mmCIF file of all heavy atoms in Angstrom:
data_model
loop_
_atom_site.group_PDB
_atom_site.id
_atom_site.type_symbol
_atom_site.label_atom_id
_atom_site.label_comp_id
_atom_site.label_asym_id
_atom_site.label_seq_id
_atom_site.Cartn_x
_atom_site.Cartn_y
_atom_site.Cartn_z
ATOM 1 N N ASP A 414 100.141 122.712 82.379
ATOM 2 C CA ASP A 414 99.251 122.189 81.350
ATOM 3 C C ASP A 414 98.836 120.773 81.732
ATOM 4 O O ASP A 414 99.598 119.815 81.532
ATOM 5 C CB ASP A 414 99.971 122.186 80.000
ATOM 6 C CG ASP A 414 99.094 121.646 78.877
ATOM 7 O OD1 ASP A 414 97.903 121.346 79.122
ATOM 8 O OD2 ASP A 414 99.611 121.520 77.738
ATOM 9 N N MET A 415 97.627 120.608 82.294
ATOM 10 C CA MET A 415 97.188 119.324 82.825
ATOM 11 C C MET A 415 96.929 118.285 81.734
ATOM 12 O O MET A 415 96.700 117.102 82.041
ATOM 13 C CB MET A 415 95.938 119.508 83.689
ATOM 14 C CG MET A 415 96.149 120.424 84.902
ATOM 15 S SD MET A 415 97.541 119.938 85.968
ATOM 16 C CE MET A 415 96.847 118.486 86.776
ATOM 17 N N ALA A 416 97.002 118.700 80.487
ATOM 18 C CA ALA A 416 96.900 117.719 79.402
ATOM 19 C C ALA A 416 98.123 116.809 79.392
ATOM 20 O O ALA A 416 98.087 115.714 78.817
ATOM 21 C CB ALA A 416 96.767 118.430 78.058
ATOM 22 N N LYS A 417 99.196 117.246 80.037
ATOM 23 C CA LYS A 417 100.427 116.450 80.109
ATOM 24 C C LYS A 417 100.578 115.775 81.471
ATOM 25 O O LYS A 417 101.667 115.308 81.810
ATOM 26 C CB LYS A 417 101.639 117.343 79.818
ATOM 27 C CG LYS A 417 101.647 117.904 78.398
ATOM 28 C CD LYS A 417 102.934 118.632 78.075
ATOM 29 C CE LYS A 417 103.063 119.941 78.833
ATOM 30 N NZ LYS A 417 104.262 120.703 78.410
ATOM 31 N N TYR A 418 99.501 115.723 82.236
ATOM 32 C CA TYR A 418 99.513 115.147 83.581
ATOM 33 C C TYR A 418 98.948 113.729 83.538
ATOM 34 O O TYR A 418 97.897 113.472 82.964
ATOM 35 C CB TYR A 418 98.665 116.022 84.509
ATOM 36 C CG TYR A 418 98.460 115.472 85.895
ATOM 37 C CD1 TYR A 418 99.383 115.729 86.893
ATOM 38 C CD2 TYR A 418 97.330 114.714 86.208
ATOM 39 C CE1 TYR A 418 99.194 115.232 88.183
ATOM 40 C CE2 TYR A 418 97.128 114.232 87.488
ATOM 41 C CZ TYR A 418 98.060 114.496 88.467
ATOM 42 O OH TYR A 418 97.862 114.006 89.731
ATOM 43 N N HIS A 419 99.656 112.780 84.153
ATOM 44 C CA HIS A 419 99.217 111.380 84.186
ATOM 45 C C HIS A 419 99.352 110.875 85.621
ATOM 46 O O HIS A 419 100.381 111.074 86.259
ATOM 47 C CB HIS A 419 100.084 110.508 83.264
ATOM 48 C CG HIS A 419 100.288 111.091 81.895
ATOM 49 N ND1 HIS A 419 99.436 110.854 80.833
ATOM 50 C CD2 HIS A 419 101.255 111.930 81.424
ATOM 51 C CE1 HIS A 419 99.867 111.513 79.766
ATOM 52 N NE2 HIS A 419 100.966 112.160 80.101
ATOM 53 N N GLU A 420 98.318 110.194 86.113
ATOM 54 C CA GLU A 420 98.383 109.651 87.465
ATOM 55 C C GLU A 420 97.848 108.239 87.503
ATOM 56 O O GLU A 420 97.028 107.849 86.672
ATOM 57 C CB GLU A 420 97.603 110.529 88.447
ATOM 58 C CG GLU A 420 96.101 110.510 88.231
ATOM 59 C CD GLU A 420 95.346 111.311 89.299
ATOM 60 O OE1 GLU A 420 95.969 112.165 89.945
ATOM 61 O OE2 GLU A 420 94.144 111.062 89.467
ATOM 62 N N GLU A 421 98.369 107.457 88.450
ATOM 63 C CA GLU A 421 97.795 106.151 88.722
ATOM 64 C C GLU A 421 96.556 106.414 89.557
ATOM 65 O O GLU A 421 96.645 106.893 90.693
ATOM 66 C CB GLU A 421 98.799 105.279 89.470
ATOM 67 C CG GLU A 421 98.366 103.848 89.635
ATOM 68 C CD GLU A 421 98.119 103.139 88.313
ATOM 69 O OE1 GLU A 421 96.965 103.216 87.826
ATOM 70 O OE2 GLU A 421 99.037 102.545 87.751
ATOM 71 N N SER A 422 95.384 106.115 88.993
ATOM 72 C CA SER A 422 94.158 106.683 89.526
ATOM 73 C C SER A 422 93.430 105.851 90.569
ATOM 74 O O SER A 422 92.363 106.227 91.005
ATOM 75 C CB SER A 422 93.184 106.962 88.370
ATOM 76 O OG SER A 422 92.882 105.762 87.678
ATOM 77 N N PHE A 423 93.964 104.719 90.994
ATOM 78 C CA PHE A 423 93.268 103.972 92.044
ATOM 79 C C PHE A 423 94.271 103.167 92.844
ATOM 80 O O PHE A 423 95.400 102.977 92.461
ATOM 81 C CB PHE A 423 92.191 103.049 91.458
ATOM 82 C CG PHE A 423 92.735 101.823 90.746
ATOM 83 C CD1 PHE A 423 92.625 100.573 91.309
ATOM 84 C CD2 PHE A 423 93.345 101.935 89.517
ATOM 85 C CE1 PHE A 423 93.110 99.458 90.659
ATOM 86 C CE2 PHE A 423 93.835 100.819 88.863
ATOM 87 C CZ PHE A 423 93.718 99.576 89.432
ATOM 88 N N ASP A 424 93.812 102.735 94.025
ATOM 89 C CA ASP A 424 94.650 101.986 94.946
ATOM 90 C C ASP A 424 94.805 100.562 94.432
ATOM 91 O O ASP A 424 93.880 99.768 94.468
ATOM 92 C CB ASP A 424 94.003 101.981 96.336
ATOM 93 C CG ASP A 424 94.866 101.286 97.368
ATOM 94 O OD1 ASP A 424 95.933 100.760 97.006
ATOM 95 O OD2 ASP A 424 94.468 101.288 98.551
ATOM 96 N N LEU A 425 96.019 100.241 93.962
ATOM 97 C CA LEU A 425 96.245 98.931 93.369
ATOM 98 C C LEU A 425 96.332 97.804 94.379
ATOM 99 O O LEU A 425 96.289 96.648 94.025
ATOM 100 C CB LEU A 425 97.566 98.960 92.577
ATOM 101 C CG LEU A 425 97.544 99.772 91.280
ATOM 102 C CD1 LEU A 425 98.949 99.948 90.762
ATOM 103 C CD2 LEU A 425 96.687 99.092 90.234
ATOM 104 N N SER A 426 96.457 98.124 95.639
ATOM 105 C CA SER A 426 96.725 97.088 96.619
ATOM 106 C C SER A 426 95.477 96.438 97.190
ATOM 107 O O SER A 426 95.552 95.402 97.815
ATOM 108 C CB SER A 426 97.538 97.664 97.785
ATOM 109 O OG SER A 426 96.787 98.650 98.464
ATOM 110 N N ALA A 427 94.313 97.036 96.972
ATOM 111 C CA ALA A 427 93.106 96.505 97.611
ATOM 112 C C ALA A 427 91.952 96.484 96.636
ATOM 113 O O ALA A 427 91.861 97.315 95.748
ATOM 114 C CB ALA A 427 92.734 97.357 98.827
ATOM 115 N N PRO A 428 91.058 95.502 96.747
ATOM 116 C CA PRO A 428 89.940 95.406 95.828
ATOM 117 C C PRO A 428 88.940 96.533 96.023
ATOM 118 O O PRO A 428 88.730 97.005 97.132
ATOM 119 C CB PRO A 428 89.299 94.049 96.176
ATOM 120 C CG PRO A 428 89.678 93.828 97.606
ATOM 121 C CD PRO A 428 91.037 94.455 97.770
ATOM 122 N N ALA A 429 88.329 96.940 94.911
ATOM 123 C CA ALA A 429 87.354 98.028 94.991
ATOM 124 C C ALA A 429 85.953 97.545 94.649
ATOM 125 O O ALA A 429 85.059 98.333 94.443
ATOM 126 C CB ALA A 429 87.761 99.145 94.035
ATOM 127 N N ALA A 430 85.785 96.229 94.561
ATOM 128 C CA ALA A 430 84.482 95.690 94.200
ATOM 129 C C ALA A 430 83.504 95.819 95.359
ATOM 130 O O ALA A 430 83.903 95.925 96.512
ATOM 131 C CB ALA A 430 84.628 94.213 93.816
ATOM 132 N N PRO A 431 82.208 95.822 95.073
ATOM 133 C CA PRO A 431 81.228 95.904 96.151
ATOM 134 C C PRO A 431 81.356 94.722 97.107
ATOM 135 O O PRO A 431 81.837 93.659 96.737
ATOM 136 C CB PRO A 431 79.881 95.860 95.412
ATOM 137 C CG PRO A 431 80.196 96.251 94.006
ATOM 138 C CD PRO A 431 81.586 95.789 93.747
ATOM 139 N N VAL A 432 80.902 94.891 98.333
ATOM 140 C CA VAL A 432 80.976 93.821 99.320
ATOM 141 C C VAL A 432 79.569 93.422 99.746
ATOM 142 O O VAL A 432 78.610 94.174 99.601
ATOM 143 C CB VAL A 432 81.781 94.267 100.566
ATOM 144 C CG1 VAL A 432 83.204 94.543 100.189
ATOM 145 C CG2 VAL A 432 81.154 95.509 101.195
ATOM 146 N N LEU A 433 79.480 92.242 100.295
ATOM 147 C CA LEU A 433 78.179 91.739 100.723
ATOM 148 C C LEU A 433 77.721 92.433 102.008
ATOM 149 O O LEU A 433 78.540 92.938 102.766
ATOM 150 C CB LEU A 433 78.286 90.234 100.974
ATOM 151 C CG LEU A 433 78.481 89.367 99.733
ATOM 152 C CD1 LEU A 433 78.806 87.951 100.163
ATOM 153 C CD2 LEU A 433 77.242 89.391 98.863
ATOM 154 N N PRO A 434 76.431 92.475 102.277
ATOM 155 C CA PRO A 434 75.949 93.052 103.534
ATOM 156 C C PRO A 434 76.558 92.329 104.728
ATOM 157 O O PRO A 434 76.923 91.156 104.646
ATOM 158 C CB PRO A 434 74.434 92.827 103.459
ATOM 159 C CG PRO A 434 74.126 92.686 101.996
ATOM 160 C CD PRO A 434 75.331 92.041 101.393
ATOM 161 N N ALA A 435 76.648 93.038 105.856
ATOM 162 C CA ALA A 435 77.320 92.488 107.029
ATOM 163 C C ALA A 435 76.557 91.309 107.627
ATOM 164 O O ALA A 435 77.148 90.387 108.168
ATOM 165 C CB ALA A 435 77.509 93.580 108.086
ATOM 166 N N GLY A 436 75.263 91.289 107.535
ATOM 167 C CA GLY A 436 74.498 90.208 108.166
ATOM 168 C C GLY A 436 73.207 89.946 107.412
ATOM 169 O O GLY A 436 72.828 90.689 106.501
ATOM 170 N N PRO A 437 72.497 88.843 107.761
ATOM 171 C CA PRO A 437 71.252 88.501 107.068
ATOM 172 C C PRO A 437 70.155 89.523 107.385
ATOM 173 O O PRO A 437 70.126 90.092 108.476
ATOM 174 C CB PRO A 437 70.903 87.119 107.640
ATOM 175 C CG PRO A 437 71.579 87.101 108.977
ATOM 176 C CD PRO A 437 72.835 87.886 108.824
ATOM 177 N N PRO A 438 69.254 89.764 106.432
ATOM 178 C CA PRO A 438 68.181 90.725 106.684
ATOM 179 C C PRO A 438 67.149 90.148 107.639
ATOM 180 O O PRO A 438 67.020 88.931 107.801
ATOM 181 C CB PRO A 438 67.583 90.937 105.279
ATOM 182 C CG PRO A 438 67.874 89.649 104.555
ATOM 183 C CD PRO A 438 69.204 89.192 105.084
ATOM 184 N N THR A 439 66.389 91.037 108.274
ATOM 185 C CA THR A 439 65.287 90.584 109.126
ATOM 186 C C THR A 439 64.174 90.059 108.217
ATOM 187 O O THR A 439 64.192 90.251 106.993
ATOM 188 C CB THR A 439 64.758 91.731 109.980
ATOM 189 O OG1 THR A 439 64.194 92.725 109.103
ATOM 190 C CG2 THR A 439 65.872 92.356 110.809
ATOM 191 N N GLU A 440 63.165 89.388 108.838
ATOM 192 C CA GLU A 440 62.069 88.835 108.053
ATOM 193 C C GLU A 440 61.327 89.949 107.312
ATOM 194 O O GLU A 440 60.976 89.801 106.133
ATOM 195 C CB GLU A 440 61.123 88.073 108.973
ATOM 196 C CG GLU A 440 59.961 87.414 108.231
ATOM 197 C CD GLU A 440 59.080 86.606 109.156
ATOM 198 O OE1 GLU A 440 59.464 86.413 110.335
ATOM 199 O OE2 GLU A 440 58.000 86.172 108.709
ATOM 200 N N GLN A 441 61.124 91.077 107.996
ATOM 201 C CA GLN A 441 60.429 92.193 107.366
ATOM 202 C C GLN A 441 61.256 92.772 106.217
ATOM 203 O O GLN A 441 60.713 93.076 105.150
ATOM 204 C CB GLN A 441 60.144 93.282 108.401
ATOM 205 C CG GLN A 441 59.331 94.454 107.852
ATOM 206 C CD GLN A 441 59.017 95.487 108.926
ATOM 207 O OE1 GLN A 441 59.411 95.334 110.080
ATOM 208 N NE2 GLN A 441 58.304 96.521 108.554
ATOM 209 N N GLU A 442 62.574 92.887 106.443
ATOM 210 C CA GLU A 442 63.453 93.403 105.382
ATOM 211 C C GLU A 442 63.487 92.456 104.197
ATOM 212 O O GLU A 442 63.506 92.889 103.037
ATOM 213 C CB GLU A 442 64.872 93.596 105.939
ATOM 214 C CG GLU A 442 64.991 94.751 106.910
ATOM 215 C CD GLU A 442 66.355 94.802 107.568
ATOM 216 O OE1 GLU A 442 67.030 93.739 107.647
ATOM 217 O OE2 GLU A 442 66.771 95.892 107.984
ATOM 218 N N ALA A 443 63.476 91.138 104.475
ATOM 219 C CA ALA A 443 63.506 90.149 103.399
ATOM 220 C C ALA A 443 62.238 90.241 102.550
ATOM 221 O O ALA A 443 62.282 90.154 101.315
ATOM 222 C CB ALA A 443 63.658 88.745 103.985
ATOM 223 N N GLU A 444 61.089 90.401 103.212
ATOM 224 C CA GLU A 444 59.832 90.528 102.475
ATOM 225 C C GLU A 444 59.824 91.785 101.618
ATOM 226 O O GLU A 444 59.374 91.763 100.465
ATOM 227 C CB GLU A 444 58.658 90.542 103.468
ATOM 228 C CG GLU A 444 58.441 89.218 104.187
ATOM 229 C CD GLU A 444 57.327 89.311 105.211
ATOM 230 O OE1 GLU A 444 56.811 90.440 105.419
ATOM 231 O OE2 GLU A 444 56.976 88.275 105.810
ATOM 232 N N GLN A 445 60.334 92.880 102.175
ATOM 233 C CA GLN A 445 60.376 94.126 101.422
ATOM 234 C C GLN A 445 61.342 94.010 100.245
ATOM 235 O O GLN A 445 61.057 94.474 99.139
ATOM 236 C CB GLN A 445 60.806 95.279 102.339
ATOM 237 C CG GLN A 445 60.797 96.646 101.661
ATOM 238 C CD GLN A 445 59.412 97.034 101.173
ATOM 239 O OE1 GLN A 445 58.444 96.965 101.915
ATOM 240 N NE2 GLN A 445 59.313 97.423 99.895
#
Side-chain angles (χ1 to χ4, degrees):
D414 180 4
M415 299 306 287
K417 296 187 290 185
Y418 174 87
H419 312 271
E420 68 175 20
E421 188 59 271
S422 60
F423 73 107
D424 183 357
L425 289 169
S426 64
V432 296
L433 290 170
T439 64
E440 182 177 351
Q441 184 178 0
E442 289 173 336
E444 292 177 354
Q445 184 61 50

